[in-house]
Amino acid sequence: MRQAAGVSERRACRTLGQHRSTQRRVPRGRPDEDLLTEDIIALAKDHGRYGYRMITGLLNNAGWHVNAKRVERIWRREGLKVPAKQPKKGRLWFNDGSCVRLRPERPNHVWSYDFVQDRTHDGRVFRTLNIIDEFTKEALMIRVDRKLNSVDVVDALTDLFILRGRPAYVSSDNGPEFVAEKVRTWISAVGAKTAFIEPGSPWENGYCESFNARFREELLDREIFFSLREAQILIERLRIYYNTVRPHSALGYRPPTPVSIVPVDQRPVMH
């Protein structure tokens, strides 16, 4: 409050109903403010496409106990980018009120898979086969090779069925690798059901499409792969990070399969 000329501090405070101590008290930040700010800035540098809510999730998953409002305050104070709010997306519905998309109800209920394509530094193409559990949002497998076809789809699903059991449904688009007779026959033989989406309707496979977008944005568009082996190593590293560390908004900003953490206020002090 700026004191008007000829008016005492006591009278001005009485008029405004404000205690006089507020004019002398020097604001003190929280004891952990500097450390929290350092962590926020470091995470913002490492994850340039994350907003403050995702950063809040990473902080809490790492052991902090902090809410999004506090992180947003520091975020704005430090001049960090606040992504524009995205408009809500509508869904397609049938006349009977049911949704086009097959909704997952439990782990191993619906798996979905799709291909993503990129190139190594020499210009040669490689493909990835991404398989996710739509309920847990876990990236079950990302197979990387120069060429992938229906045989590779069956091999990848065989490995996962052995490790995790059989899902109720396997969802995919209508690409030739997925609608191949070999794939359909094998899936039916092991007791699962196929759920193909309509051509030109990627929103019906929204979970896998969302993963593919994050996969491209956070790795493929940021890395130069000098060999296929380097791509395989970095992509597998991203898959593990995605499952165990990266916050997921649909899971309350928790990762699909988080590792055990020690809260910041319970960590031993190093002397």
Side-chain angles (χ1 to χ4, degrees), residues 1-3 7-27:
M1 179 182 68
R2 181 178 298 177
Q3 185 174 340
V7 179
S8 67
E9 178 184 284
R10 184 189 304 274
R11 183 176 179 183
C13 288
R14 185 186 305 116
T15 301
L16 295 174
Q18 184 172 309
H19 199 278
R20 292 175 61 196
S21 64
T22 61
Q23 305 305 307
R24 306 184 184 91
R25 183 173 179 271
V26 178

Side-chain angles (χ1 to χ4, degrees), residues 36 39-40 43 54-64 66 71:
L36 177 60
D39 285 357
I40 291 173
L43 288 171
M54 288 290 287
I55 297 299
T56 303
L58 283 175
L59 289 168
N60 286 323
N61 293 342
W64 283 95
V66 61
V71 175

Side-chain angles (χ1 to χ4, degrees), residues 138-179:
E138 181 181 0
L140 303 176
M141 177 183 291
I142 304 179
R143 179 160 291 189
V144 185
D145 213 332
R146 293 294 182 187
K147 296 181 180 180
L148 292 169
N149 53 33
S150 59
V151 175
D152 298 298
V153 174
V154 171
D155 287 345
L157 290 175
T158 299
D159 292 343
L160 287 175
F161 280 26
I162 293 172
L163 291 173
R164 296 175 174 268
R166 169 179 54 83
Y169 292 90
V170 180
S171 175
S172 67
D173 65 15
N174 287 274
E177 297 86 358
F178 299 140
V179 299

Side-chain angles (χ1 to χ4, degrees), residues 214-228:
R214 303 288 81 74
F215 175 50
R216 182 169 294 283
E217 184 178 79
E218 296 175 17
L219 181 68
L220 299 184
D221 289 347
R222 299 179 60 184
E223 293 285 347
I224 297 176
F225 304 109
F226 291 96
S227 67
L228 179 65

